[in-house]
Coordinates of all heavy atoms in Angstrom, one line a residue:
M1 N -15.5 21.6 -8.9 CA -14.1 21.1 -8.7 C -14.0 19.7 -9.4 O -14.2 18.7 -8.7 CB -13.8 21.1 -7.2 CG -12.3 21.0 -7.0 SD -11.3 22.3 -7.7 CE -11.7 23.7 -6.7
E2 N -13.6 19.7 -10.6 CA -13.7 18.5 -11.4 C -12.6 17.5 -10.9 O -13.0 16.3 -10.8 CB -13.4 18.8 -12.9 CG -13.8 17.7 -13.8 CD -13.5 18.1 -15.3 OE1 -13.9 19.2 -15.7 OE2 -12.9 17.2 -16.0
L3 N -11.4 17.9 -10.6 CA -10.4 17.0 -10.1 C -10.8 16.4 -8.8 O -10.7 15.2 -8.6 CB -9.1 17.8 -9.9 CG -7.9 17.0 -9.3 CD1 -7.6 15.8 -10.1 CD2 -6.7 17.8 -9.0
R4 N -11.4 17.2 -7.9 CA -11.8 16.7 -6.6 C -12.8 15.6 -6.7 O -12.8 14.5 -6.1 CB -12.3 17.8 -5.7 CG -12.5 17.3 -4.3 CD -12.9 18.4 -3.4 NE -14.3 18.9 -3.8 CZ -15.0 19.8 -3.1 NH1 -14.5 20.3 -2.0 NH2 -16.2 20.1 -3.5
G5 N -13.8 15.8 -7.6 CA -14.9 14.8 -7.8 C -14.3 13.5 -8.4 O -14.7 12.4 -8.0
K6 N -13.4 13.7 -9.3 CA -12.8 12.5 -9.9 C -12.0 11.7 -8.9 O -12.1 10.5 -8.9 CB -11.8 13.0 -11.0 CG -11.5 12.0 -12.0 CD -10.6 12.6 -13.1 CE -9.6 11.5 -13.6 NZ -8.5 12.1 -14.4
L7 N -11.3 12.4 -8.0 CA -10.5 11.7 -7.0 C -11.4 11.0 -6.0 O -11.2 9.9 -5.6 CB -9.6 12.7 -6.2 CG -8.4 13.2 -7.0 CD1 -7.8 14.4 -6.3 CD2 -7.4 12.1 -7.2
V8 N -12.5 11.7 -5.6 CA -13.4 11.1 -4.6 C -14.0 9.8 -5.2 O -14.1 8.8 -4.6 CB -14.5 12.1 -4.2 CG1 -15.7 11.4 -3.5 CG2 -13.9 13.2 -3.4
R9 N -14.4 9.9 -6.5 CA -15.0 8.7 -7.1 C -14.0 7.6 -7.3 O -14.4 6.4 -7.3 CB -15.6 9.1 -8.5 CG -16.9 9.9 -8.4 CD -17.6 10.0 -9.7 NE -16.8 10.8 -10.7 CZ -16.8 12.2 -10.7 NH1 -17.5 12.8 -9.8 NH2 -16.1 12.8 -11.5
S10 N -12.7 7.9 -7.4 CA -11.7 6.9 -7.5 C -11.5 6.1 -6.2 O -10.9 5.0 -6.3 CB -10.4 7.5 -8.0 OG -9.7 8.2 -7.0
L11 N -11.9 6.6 -5.1 CA -11.5 6.0 -3.8 C -12.3 4.7 -3.6 O -11.7 3.8 -3.0 CB -11.9 7.0 -2.7 CG -11.1 8.3 -2.6 CD1 -11.5 9.1 -1.4 CD2 -9.6 8.0 -2.6
G12 N -13.5 4.6 -4.2 CA -14.2 3.3 -4.0 C -13.5 2.1 -4.6 O -13.5 1.0 -4.0
A13 N -12.7 2.3 -5.6 CA -12.0 1.2 -6.3 C -10.8 0.8 -5.4 O -10.2 -0.2 -5.7 CB -11.5 1.7 -7.7
L14 N -10.5 1.6 -4.4 CA -9.4 1.3 -3.5 C -9.8 0.6 -2.2 O -9.0 0.5 -1.3 CB -8.5 2.5 -3.3 CG -8.1 3.3 -4.5 CD1 -7.4 4.6 -4.1 CD2 -7.2 2.5 -5.3
R15 N -11.0 0.2 -2.1 CA -11.6 -0.3 -0.8 C -10.9 -1.6 -0.3 O -11.0 -1.9 0.8 CB -13.1 -0.5 -0.9 CG -13.5 -1.6 -1.9 CD -15.0 -1.6 -2.0 NE -15.5 -2.5 -3.0 CZ -15.5 -2.3 -4.3 NH1 -15.0 -1.2 -4.8 NH2 -15.9 -3.2 -5.2
E16 N -10.2 -2.3 -1.2 CA -9.5 -3.5 -0.8 C -8.1 -3.2 -0.3 O -7.3 -4.1 -0.1 CB -9.4 -4.5 -1.9 CG -10.8 -5.0 -2.4 CD -11.5 -5.8 -1.4 OE1 -10.8 -6.4 -0.5 OE2 -12.7 -5.9 -1.4
M17 N -7.8 -1.9 -0.1 CA -6.4 -1.5 0.2 C -6.0 -2.1 1.6 O -6.8 -2.4 2.5 CB -6.3 0.0 0.3 CG -7.1 0.6 1.4 SD -7.0 2.4 1.2 CE -8.3 2.9 2.4
L18 N -4.7 -2.3 1.7 CA -4.1 -2.9 2.9 C -3.0 -1.9 3.4 O -2.3 -1.2 2.6 CB -3.4 -4.2 2.6 CG -4.4 -5.4 2.5 CD1 -3.7 -6.6 1.9 CD2 -5.0 -5.8 3.8
P19 N -2.8 -1.9 4.7 CA -1.8 -1.0 5.3 C -0.4 -1.7 5.2 O -0.3 -2.8 4.9 CB -2.3 -0.9 6.8 CG -2.9 -2.2 7.1 CD -3.5 -2.7 5.8
G20 N 0.6 -0.9 5.6 CA 1.9 -1.4 5.7 C 2.7 -1.4 4.4 O 2.4 -0.8 3.5
S21 N 3.8 -2.2 4.4 CA 4.6 -2.3 3.2 C 4.9 -3.8 2.9 O 4.8 -4.7 3.7 CB 5.9 -1.5 3.5 OG 6.5 -1.9 4.7
F22 N 5.1 -3.9 1.6 CA 5.4 -5.2 1.0 C 6.9 -5.5 1.1 O 7.7 -4.7 0.7 CB 4.9 -5.3 -0.4 CG 5.0 -6.6 -1.1 CD1 3.9 -7.5 -1.0 CD2 6.1 -7.0 -1.8 CE1 4.0 -8.7 -1.7 CE2 6.2 -8.2 -2.4 CZ 5.1 -9.1 -2.3
V23 N 7.2 -6.7 1.6 CA 8.6 -7.0 1.8 C 8.9 -8.3 1.1 O 8.1 -9.3 1.3 CB 9.0 -7.1 3.3 CG1 10.5 -7.5 3.5 CG2 8.7 -5.9 4.1
E24 N 10.0 -8.4 0.4 CA 10.4 -9.6 -0.2 C 11.8 -10.0 0.4 O 12.7 -9.2 0.4 CB 10.6 -9.5 -1.7 CG 11.1 -10.8 -2.3 CD 11.2 -10.8 -3.9 OE1 10.8 -9.8 -4.5 OE2 11.6 -11.8 -4.4
R25 N 11.8 -11.1 1.0 CA 13.1 -11.6 1.7 C 13.6 -12.8 0.9 O 12.8 -13.6 0.4 CB 12.8 -12.0 3.1 CG 12.4 -10.9 4.0 CD 12.5 -11.4 5.5 NE 11.8 -10.4 6.3 CZ 12.4 -9.2 6.6 NH1 13.6 -8.9 6.2 NH2 11.8 -8.3 7.4
K26 N 14.9 -12.9 0.8 CA 15.5 -14.1 0.2 C 16.0 -15.0 1.3 O 16.6 -14.5 2.3 CB 16.7 -13.7 -0.7 CG 16.2 -12.8 -1.9 CD 15.5 -13.6 -2.9 CE 15.3 -12.8 -4.2 NZ 14.5 -13.6 -5.2
R27 N 15.7 -16.3 1.2 CA 16.2 -17.2 2.3 C 16.5 -18.6 1.8 O 16.0 -19.0 0.7 CB 15.1 -17.3 3.4 CG 13.9 -17.9 2.9 CD 12.8 -18.1 4.0 NE 11.7 -18.9 3.5 CZ 11.6 -20.2 3.4 NH1 12.6 -20.9 3.9 NH2 10.6 -20.8 2.9
A28 N 17.4 -19.3 2.5 CA 17.6 -20.7 2.2 C 16.7 -21.5 3.1 O 16.4 -21.2 4.3 CB 19.1 -21.0 2.5
C29 N 16.2 -22.6 2.6 CA 15.3 -23.5 3.3 C 16.0 -24.4 4.3 O 15.4 -25.0 5.2 CB 14.4 -24.2 2.4 SG 15.2 -25.5 1.4
G30 N 17.3 -24.6 4.0 CA 18.1 -25.5 4.9 C 18.3 -26.9 4.4 O 19.1 -27.6 4.9
R31 N 17.5 -27.3 3.4 CA 17.7 -28.7 2.8 C 19.0 -28.7 2.0 O 19.1 -27.9 1.1 CB 16.5 -29.1 2.0 CG 15.3 -29.6 2.8 CD 14.1 -29.9 1.9 NE 13.7 -28.7 1.2 CZ 12.8 -28.7 0.1 NH1 12.4 -29.8 -0.4 NH2 12.5 -27.6 -0.4
P32 N 19.9 -29.6 2.3 CA 21.2 -29.6 1.7 C 21.1 -29.9 0.2 O 22.0 -29.5 -0.6 CB 22.0 -30.7 2.4 CG 21.0 -31.5 3.1 CD 19.8 -30.7 3.4
T33 N 20.1 -30.6 -0.3 CA 20.0 -31.0 -1.7 C 19.2 -29.9 -2.5 O 19.1 -30.1 -3.7 CB 19.3 -32.3 -1.9 OG1 18.0 -32.3 -1.2 CG2 20.2 -33.4 -1.2
C34 N 18.6 -28.9 -1.9 CA 17.8 -28.0 -2.6 C 18.7 -27.0 -3.4 O 19.8 -26.8 -3.1 CB 17.0 -27.2 -1.6 SG 15.8 -26.0 -2.3
H35 N 18.1 -26.4 -4.5 CA 18.8 -25.5 -5.3 C 19.3 -24.3 -4.5 O 20.2 -23.6 -5.0 CB 17.9 -25.1 -6.5 CG 16.7 -24.3 -6.1 ND1 16.7 -23.0 -5.7 CD2 15.4 -24.7 -6.1 CE1 15.5 -22.6 -5.4 NE2 14.7 -23.6 -5.7
C36 N 18.7 -24.0 -3.4 CA 19.1 -22.9 -2.6 C 20.3 -23.1 -1.8 O 20.9 -22.1 -1.2 CB 17.9 -22.4 -1.7 SG 17.7 -23.5 -0.3
A37 N 20.8 -24.3 -1.7 CA 21.9 -24.6 -0.9 C 23.2 -24.0 -1.4 O 24.2 -23.8 -0.6 CB 22.1 -26.2 -0.8
D38 N 23.2 -23.5 -2.6 CA 24.5 -22.8 -3.1 C 24.5 -21.4 -2.6 O 25.5 -20.7 -2.8 CB 24.5 -22.8 -4.6 CG 23.4 -22.0 -5.3 OD1 22.6 -21.5 -4.5 OD2 23.3 -22.0 -6.5
G39 N 23.5 -21.0 -1.9 CA 23.5 -19.6 -1.3 C 23.1 -18.5 -2.3 O 23.1 -17.3 -2.0
K40 N 22.9 -18.9 -3.6 CA 22.6 -17.9 -4.6 C 21.1 -18.0 -5.1 O 20.5 -16.9 -5.2 CB 23.5 -18.1 -5.8 CG 25.0 -17.7 -5.5 CD 25.9 -18.0 -6.6 CE 27.4 -17.7 -6.2 NZ 28.3 -18.7 -6.8
N41 N 20.7 -19.2 -5.4 CA 19.3 -19.4 -5.9 C 18.4 -19.5 -4.7 O 17.8 -20.6 -4.5 CB 19.2 -20.6 -6.8 CG 20.0 -20.3 -8.1 OD1 19.8 -19.4 -8.8 ND2 21.0 -21.2 -8.4
L42 N 18.2 -18.5 -4.0 CA 17.4 -18.5 -2.7 C 16.0 -18.5 -3.0 O 15.5 -18.1 -4.1 CB 17.8 -17.4 -1.8 CG 19.3 -17.4 -1.3 CD1 19.6 -16.1 -0.6 CD2 19.6 -18.6 -0.5
H43 N 15.2 -18.9 -2.0 CA 13.7 -18.8 -2.1 C 13.3 -17.4 -1.8 O 13.9 -16.7 -0.9 CB 13.0 -19.8 -1.1 CG 13.4 -21.2 -1.3 ND1 12.8 -22.0 -2.2 CD2 14.4 -21.9 -0.7 CE1 13.3 -23.2 -2.1 NE2 14.3 -23.2 -1.3
S44 N 12.2 -17.0 -2.4 CA 11.6 -15.7 -2.0 C 10.5 -15.9 -0.9 O 9.7 -16.8 -1.1 CB 10.9 -15.1 -3.2 OG 11.9 -14.5 -4.1
Q45 N 10.6 -15.2 0.1 CA 9.5 -15.2 1.1 C 8.9 -13.8 1.1 O 9.6 -12.8 1.4 CB 10.1 -15.5 2.5 CG 9.2 -15.4 3.6 CD 8.0 -16.4 3.5 OE1 8.2 -17.6 3.6 NE2 6.8 -15.9 3.3
Y46 N 7.6 -13.7 0.9 CA 6.9 -12.4 0.9 C 6.3 -12.2 2.2 O 5.7 -13.1 2.8 CB 5.9 -12.4 -0.3 CG 6.5 -12.7 -1.6 CD1 6.4 -14.0 -2.2 CD2 7.2 -11.8 -2.3 CE1 6.9 -14.3 -3.4 CE2 7.8 -12.1 -3.5 CZ 7.7 -13.4 -4.1 OH 8.2 -13.7 -5.3
Q47 N 6.3 -10.9 2.6 CA 5.7 -10.5 3.9 C 5.0 -9.2 3.8 O 5.4 -8.4 2.9 CB 6.8 -10.4 5.0 CG 7.5 -11.7 5.3 CD 8.5 -11.6 6.4 OE1 9.2 -10.6 6.5 NE2 8.5 -12.6 7.3
I48 N 4.0 -9.0 4.6 CA 3.4 -7.7 4.8 C 3.9 -7.2 6.2 O 3.7 -7.9 7.2 CB 1.9 -7.7 4.7 CG1 1.3 -6.3 4.9 CG2 1.2 -8.8 5.6 CD1 -0.2 -6.2 4.5
S49 N 4.5 -6.1 6.1 CA 5.1 -5.5 7.3 C 4.2 -4.3 7.8 O 3.9 -3.4 7.0 CB 6.5 -5.0 7.1 OG 7.0 -4.2 8.1
V50 N 3.6 -4.4 9.0 CA 2.5 -3.5 9.3 C 2.5 -3.3 10.8 O 3.0 -4.1 11.6 CB 1.2 -4.2 8.8 CG1 0.9 -5.5 9.6 CG2 0.0 -3.2 8.9
L51 N 2.0 -2.1 11.2 CA 1.8 -1.9 12.6 C 0.5 -2.4 13.1 O -0.6 -2.1 12.5 CB 1.8 -0.3 12.9 CG 3.2 0.4 12.7 CD1 3.0 1.9 13.0 CD2 4.3 -0.2 13.7
V52 N 0.5 -3.2 14.1 CA -0.7 -3.7 14.8 C -0.8 -3.2 16.2 O 0.1 -3.5 17.0 CB -0.8 -5.3 14.7 CG1 -2.1 -5.8 15.4 CG2 -0.7 -5.8 13.3
D53 N -1.8 -2.4 16.5 CA -1.8 -1.7 17.8 C -0.5 -1.0 18.2 O 0.0 -1.1 19.3 CB -2.1 -2.8 18.9 CG -3.5 -3.4 18.7 OD1 -4.4 -2.7 18.2 OD2 -3.7 -4.6 19.1
G54 N 0.1 -0.4 17.2 CA 1.3 0.4 17.4 C 2.6 -0.4 17.4 O 3.6 0.2 17.5
K55 N 2.5 -1.7 17.2 CA 3.7 -2.5 17.2 C 3.9 -3.1 15.8 O 3.0 -3.6 15.2 CB 3.5 -3.7 18.2 CG 3.5 -3.3 19.6 CD 3.2 -4.4 20.6 CE 2.9 -3.9 22.0 NZ 1.8 -4.7 22.6
P56 N 5.2 -3.0 15.4 CA 5.5 -3.6 14.1 C 5.4 -5.1 14.0 O 5.9 -5.8 14.9 CB 7.0 -3.1 13.8 CG 7.5 -2.8 15.2 CD 6.4 -2.5 16.1
K57 N 4.7 -5.6 13.0 CA 4.6 -7.0 12.8 C 4.8 -7.3 11.3 O 4.7 -6.5 10.5 CB 3.1 -7.5 13.1 CG 2.6 -7.1 14.5 CD 2.8 -8.2 15.4 CE 2.2 -7.8 16.8 NZ 2.5 -8.8 17.8
A58 N 5.3 -8.5 11.1 CA 5.4 -9.0 9.7 C 4.7 -10.3 9.6 O 4.9 -11.2 10.4 CB 6.9 -9.2 9.4
F59 N 3.9 -10.4 8.6 CA 3.1 -11.7 8.3 C 3.5 -12.2 7.0 O 3.6 -11.5 6.0 CB 1.6 -11.4 8.3 CG 1.1 -10.8 9.6 CD1 0.9 -9.4 9.7 CD2 0.9 -11.6 10.8 CE1 0.4 -8.9 10.9 CE2 0.5 -11.0 11.9 CZ 0.3 -9.7 12.0
N60 N 3.7 -13.5 6.9 CA 4.1 -14.2 5.6 C 2.9 -14.2 4.7 O 1.7 -14.3 5.1 CB 4.5 -15.6 5.9 CG 5.8 -15.7 6.6 OD1 6.6 -14.8 6.5 ND2 6.1 -16.8 7.3
I61 N 3.2 -14.0 3.4 CA 2.2 -14.0 2.4 C 2.5 -15.2 1.5 O 3.6 -15.4 1.0 CB 2.3 -12.7 1.5 CG1 2.1 -11.5 2.3 CG2 1.3 -12.8 0.3 CD1 2.5 -10.2 1.6
P62 N 1.5 -16.1 1.3 CA 1.7 -17.2 0.4 C 2.0 -16.7 -1.0 O 1.5 -15.7 -1.5 CB 0.3 -17.9 0.4 CG -0.4 -17.5 1.6 CD 0.1 -16.1 1.9
A63 N 3.0 -17.4 -1.7 CA 3.5 -16.9 -2.9 C 2.4 -16.6 -3.9 O 2.5 -15.7 -4.7 CB 4.5 -17.9 -3.5
E64 N 1.4 -17.5 -3.9 CA 0.3 -17.3 -5.0 C -0.5 -16.1 -4.7 O -1.3 -15.6 -5.6 CB -0.6 -18.6 -5.0 CG -1.4 -18.9 -3.8 CD -0.7 -19.7 -2.8 OE1 0.6 -19.8 -2.8 OE2 -1.4 -20.4 -2.0
L65 N -0.4 -15.5 -3.5 CA -1.2 -14.2 -3.2 C -0.3 -13.0 -3.3 O -0.8 -11.9 -3.2 CB -1.8 -14.3 -1.8 CG -2.8 -15.4 -1.6 CD1 -3.3 -15.4 -0.1 CD2 -4.0 -15.2 -2.5
A66 N 1.0 -13.2 -3.6 CA 1.9 -12.0 -3.5 C 1.6 -10.9 -4.4 O 1.6 -9.7 -4.0 CB 3.4 -12.5 -3.7
V67 N 1.2 -11.2 -5.7 CA 0.9 -10.1 -6.6 C -0.3 -9.3 -6.2 O -0.3 -8.1 -6.1 CB 0.7 -10.7 -8.0 CG1 0.1 -9.6 -9.0 CG2 2.0 -11.2 -8.6
K68 N -1.3 -10.0 -5.7 CA -2.6 -9.4 -5.3 C -2.4 -8.5 -4.1 O -2.9 -7.4 -4.0 CB -3.6 -10.5 -5.1 CG -5.0 -10.0 -5.2 CD -6.0 -11.1 -5.5 CE -6.5 -11.1 -6.9 NZ -7.4 -12.2 -7.2
I69 N -1.7 -9.1 -3.1 CA -1.4 -8.4 -1.9 C -0.6 -7.1 -2.1 O -0.8 -6.1 -1.5 CB -0.8 -9.3 -0.8 CG1 -1.7 -10.4 -0.4 CG2 -0.4 -8.5 0.5 CD1 -3.1 -10.0 0.1
R70 N 0.4 -7.3 -3.0 CA 1.3 -6.1 -3.3 C 0.4 -5.0 -3.9 O 0.6 -3.8 -3.6 CB 2.4 -6.5 -4.3 CG 3.3 -5.4 -4.6 CD 4.2 -5.8 -5.8 NE 5.3 -6.7 -5.4 CZ 6.6 -6.5 -5.4 NH1 7.0 -5.4 -6.0 NH2 7.4 -7.3 -5.0
E71 N -0.5 -5.4 -4.8 CA -1.4 -4.4 -5.4 C -2.3 -3.7 -4.3 O -2.5 -2.5 -4.4 CB -2.4 -5.0 -6.4 CG -1.7 -5.3 -7.7 CD -2.6 -6.2 -8.6 OE1 -3.8 -6.4 -8.3 OE2 -2.1 -6.6 -9.7
K72 N -2.7 -4.5 -3.3 CA -3.6 -3.9 -2.3 C -2.8 -2.9 -1.4 O -3.4 -1.9 -0.9 CB -4.3 -5.0 -1.5 CG -5.3 -5.8 -2.3 CD -5.9 -6.9 -1.5 CE -7.0 -7.6 -2.4 NZ -7.8 -8.5 -1.7
I73 N -1.6 -3.2 -1.2 CA -0.7 -2.3 -0.4 C -0.5 -1.1 -1.2 O -0.5 0.0 -0.6 CB 0.6 -3.0 0.0 CG1 0.3 -4.2 1.0 CG2 1.6 -2.1 0.6 CD1 1.4 -5.1 1.3
E74 N -0.3 -1.2 -2.5 CA -0.1 0.0 -3.4 C -1.3 0.8 -3.4 O -1.2 2.1 -3.5 CB 0.3 -0.5 -4.8 CG 0.6 0.6 -5.8 CD 1.7 1.5 -5.4 OE1 2.6 1.1 -4.7 OE2 1.5 2.7 -5.7
M75 N -2.5 0.2 -3.3 CA -3.8 1.0 -3.2 C -3.7 2.0 -2.1 O -4.3 3.1 -2.3 CB -5.0 0.1 -3.0 CG -5.4 -0.7 -4.3 SD -6.8 -1.7 -3.8 CE -6.9 -2.7 -5.3
R76 N -3.2 1.6 -1.0 CA -3.1 2.5 0.2 C -2.3 3.8 -0.2 O -2.7 4.9 0.2 CB -2.5 1.8 1.4 CG -2.2 2.7 2.5 CD -3.4 3.3 3.2 NE -3.1 4.1 4.3 CZ -2.9 3.6 5.5 NH1 -3.0 2.4 5.8 NH2 -2.6 4.5 6.5
R77 N -1.2 3.6 -0.9 CA -0.4 4.7 -1.3 C -1.2 5.7 -2.2 O -1.2 6.9 -2.1 CB 0.8 4.3 -2.1 CG 2.1 4.7 -1.5 CD 3.3 4.1 -2.2 NE 3.4 2.7 -2.2 CZ 3.8 2.0 -1.1 NH1 4.3 2.7 -0.1 NH2 3.9 0.7 -1.1
R78 N -2.0 5.1 -3.2 CA -2.8 5.9 -4.1 C -3.9 6.6 -3.3 O -4.3 7.7 -3.6 CB -3.4 5.1 -5.2 CG -2.3 4.8 -6.2 CD -2.5 3.7 -7.2 NE -3.9 3.4 -7.6 CZ -4.3 2.2 -7.9 NH1 -3.6 1.1 -7.8 NH2 -5.6 2.0 -8.3
F79 N -4.5 5.9 -2.3 CA -5.6 6.5 -1.5 C -5.0 7.7 -0.7 O -5.6 8.8 -0.7 CB -6.1 5.4 -0.5 CG -7.2 5.9 0.4 CD1 -8.5 5.7 0.0 CD2 -6.9 6.5 1.6 CE1 -9.5 6.2 0.9 CE2 -7.9 6.9 2.5 CZ -9.2 6.8 2.1
D80 N -3.9 7.5 -0.1 CA -3.3 8.6 0.7 C -3.0 9.8 -0.2 O -3.2 10.9 0.2 CB -2.0 8.1 1.4 CG -2.2 7.2 2.6 OD1 -3.4 7.1 3.0 OD2 -1.3 6.6 3.1
A81 N -2.5 9.5 -1.4 CA -2.1 10.6 -2.3 C -3.4 11.4 -2.7 O -3.4 12.6 -2.8 CB -1.4 10.1 -3.6
A82 N -4.5 10.6 -3.0 CA -5.8 11.2 -3.4 C -6.3 12.1 -2.2 O -6.8 13.2 -2.4 CB -6.8 10.2 -3.8
V83 N -6.3 11.5 -1.0 CA -6.8 12.3 0.1 C -6.0 13.5 0.3 O -6.5 14.6 0.6 CB -6.7 11.4 1.4 CG1 -6.9 12.2 2.7 CG2 -7.8 10.3 1.3
A84 N -4.6 13.5 0.2 CA -3.8 14.7 0.4 C -4.2 15.7 -0.7 O -4.3 16.9 -0.3 CB -2.3 14.3 0.3
T85 N -4.4 15.3 -1.9 CA -4.8 16.3 -2.9 C -6.2 16.9 -2.7 O -6.4 18.1 -2.8 CB -4.8 15.6 -4.3 OG1 -3.5 15.0 -4.6 CG2 -5.2 16.5 -5.4
I86 N -7.1 16.0 -2.2 CA -8.5 16.5 -1.9 C -8.4 17.6 -0.8 O -9.0 18.6 -0.8 CB -9.4 15.4 -1.5 CG1 -9.7 14.5 -2.8 CG2 -10.7 15.9 -0.9 CD1 -10.3 13.2 -2.5
C87 N -7.6 17.2 0.3 CA -7.5 18.1 1.4 C -6.8 19.4 1.0 O -7.2 20.5 1.5 CB -6.7 17.5 2.5 SG -7.6 16.2 3.4
G88 N -5.9 19.4 0.1 CA -5.2 20.6 -0.4 C -6.2 21.5 -1.2 O -6.1 22.7 -1.0
I89 N -7.0 20.9 -2.0 CA -8.0 21.6 -2.7 C -8.9 22.3 -1.8 O -9.2 23.5 -1.9 CB -8.8 20.7 -3.7 CG1 -7.9 20.2 -4.9 CG2 -10.0 21.4 -4.3 CD1 -8.4 19.1 -5.7
N90 N -9.4 21.6 -0.8 CA -10.4 22.1 0.2 C -9.7 23.2 1.0 O -10.4 24.2 1.3 CB -10.9 21.0 1.1 CG -11.8 20.0 0.3 OD1 -12.3 20.3 -0.8 ND2 -12.0 18.9 0.9
L91 N -8.5 23.1 1.4 CA -7.8 24.1 2.2 C -7.7 25.4 1.3 O -8.0 26.5 1.8 CB -6.4 23.6 2.6 CG -5.6 24.7 3.4 CD1 -6.4 25.0 4.7 CD2 -4.2 24.1 3.8
R92 N -7.2 25.2 0.1 CA -7.1 26.4 -0.8 C -8.5 27.1 -1.0 O -8.5 28.4 -0.9 CB -6.6 26.0 -2.2 CG -5.1 25.9 -2.2 CD -4.5 26.0 -3.7 NE -5.1 24.9 -4.5 CZ -4.6 23.7 -4.5 NH1 -3.6 23.3 -3.8 NH2 -5.2 22.8 -5.3
R93 N -9.5 26.3 -1.1 CA -10.9 26.9 -1.2 C -11.2 27.7 0.0 O -11.8 28.8 -0.1 CB -11.9 25.8 -1.4 CG -12.3 25.5 -2.8 CD -13.4 24.5 -2.7 NE -14.1 24.3 -3.9 CZ -15.2 23.6 -4.1 NH1 -15.7 22.9 -3.0 NH2 -15.8 23.5 -5.2
F94 N -11.0 27.1 1.2 CA -11.3 27.7 2.4 C -10.5 29.1 2.5 O -11.1 30.1 2.9 CB -11.0 26.8 3.6 CG -10.9 27.5 4.9 CD1 -12.0 28.1 5.5 CD2 -9.7 27.6 5.6 CE1 -11.9 28.7 6.7 CE2 -9.6 28.3 6.8 CZ -10.7 28.9 7.3
L95 N -9.2 29.0 2.2 CA -8.4 30.2 2.4 C -8.9 31.3 1.4 O -8.8 32.5 1.7 CB -6.9 29.9 2.2 CG -6.3 29.0 3.2 CD1 -4.9 28.6 2.9 CD2 -6.4 29.6 4.6
Q96 N -9.4 30.9 0.2 CA -9.8 31.9 -0.7 C -11.2 32.5 -0.3 O -11.4 33.7 -0.5 CB -10.0 31.2 -2.1 CG -8.7 31.1 -2.9 CD -8.9 30.1 -4.1 OE1 -10.0 29.8 -4.4 NE2 -7.8 29.8 -4.7
E97 N -12.0 31.7 0.4 CA -13.4 32.1 0.7 C -13.6 32.7 2.0 O -14.5 33.4 2.3 CB -14.3 31.0 0.4 CG -14.4 30.6 -1.1 CD -15.3 29.4 -1.4 OE1 -16.0 28.9 -0.4 OE2 -15.3 29.0 -2.5
K98 N -12.6 32.5 3.0 CA -12.9 32.8 4.4 C -13.0 34.3 4.5 O -13.6 34.8 5.5 CB -11.8 32.3 5.3 CG -10.5 32.9 5.2 CD -9.5 32.3 6.2 CE -8.1 32.8 6.1 NZ -8.0 34.2 6.6
D99 N -12.3 35.1 3.7 CA -12.3 36.6 3.9 C -13.3 37.3 3.0 O -13.3 38.5 3.1 CB -10.9 37.1 3.7 CG -9.9 36.6 4.7 OD1 -10.3 36.4 5.9 OD2 -8.7 36.4 4.4
K100 N -14.0 36.5 2.2 CA -15.0 37.2 1.4 C -16.2 37.7 2.3 O -16.6 37.0 3.2 CB -15.5 36.2 0.3 CG -14.5 36.0 -0.8 CD -15.1 35.1 -1.9 CE -14.0 34.8 -2.9 NZ -14.4 33.8 -3.9
P101 N -16.8 38.8 1.9 CA -17.9 39.3 2.7 C -19.1 38.4 2.6 O -19.3 37.7 1.7 CB -18.2 40.7 2.1 CG -17.5 40.7 0.8 CD -16.4 39.7 0.8
Ligands
LIG1 ZN1 15.6 -24.5 -0.6

């Protein structure tokens, strides 16, 4: 099963994956002289939104880490997609072989 082997080998590259979703919020900092005071040129605040012990939490991400953290959250999506494909292959295999003598 060439596809399955390829998918399994790809999982190691996703070991830095993170759960949850990446959120970008726009906000004003409140300083009256800041460029954000016009209400249009707002600051970006990045967050990771994630369940911790079943409860939704949001943690701020420093701007310099935003790109990296976003990638790690995206890894989780690729991991889940690969696992679903692998399980589908294995289920089809099982269903094909279970009734063979
Ligand atoms: Zn500001």
Side-chain angles (χ1 to χ4, degrees):
M1 195 58 71
E2 196 178 312
L3 174 61
R4 190 179 64 172
K6 198 177 148 195
L7 286 168
V8 168
R9 285 190 294 280
S10 76
L11 296 181
L14 305 175
R15 65 188 173 279
E16 298 293 335
M17 65 186 167
L18 283 168
S21 50
F22 185 91
V23 180
E24 179 176 357
R25 295 190 191 287
K26 297 287 190 183
R27 63 175 186 87
C29 67
R31 280 178 296 165
T33 56
C34 183
H35 63 74
C36 72
D38 65 2
K40 289 175 189 146
N41 295 304
L42 298 172
H43 302 273
S44 285
Q45 173 64 65
Y46 304 101
Q47 294 182 322
I48 179 170
S49 171
V50 65
L51 289 177
V52 179
D53 299 328
K55 291 175 192 140
K57 305 263 184 187
F59 301 101
N60 289 336
I61 302 169
E64 66 271 22
L65 296 178
V67 169
K68 205 158 253 179
I69 298 300
R70 182 190 285 240
E71 282 173 5
K72 291 180 179 190
I73 293 168
E74 181 57 33
M75 283 179 191
R76 169 67 179 275
R77 239 178 294 282
R78 283 163 32 214
F79 182 90
D80 287 347
V83 167
T85 302
I86 291 165
C87 286
I89 290 168
N90 290 343
L91 179 62
R92 277 198 302 279
R93 262 188 168 184
F94 163 67
L95 294 176
Q96 279 166 12
E97 289 176 11
K98 74 180 174 70
D99 295 326
K100 284 183 186 169

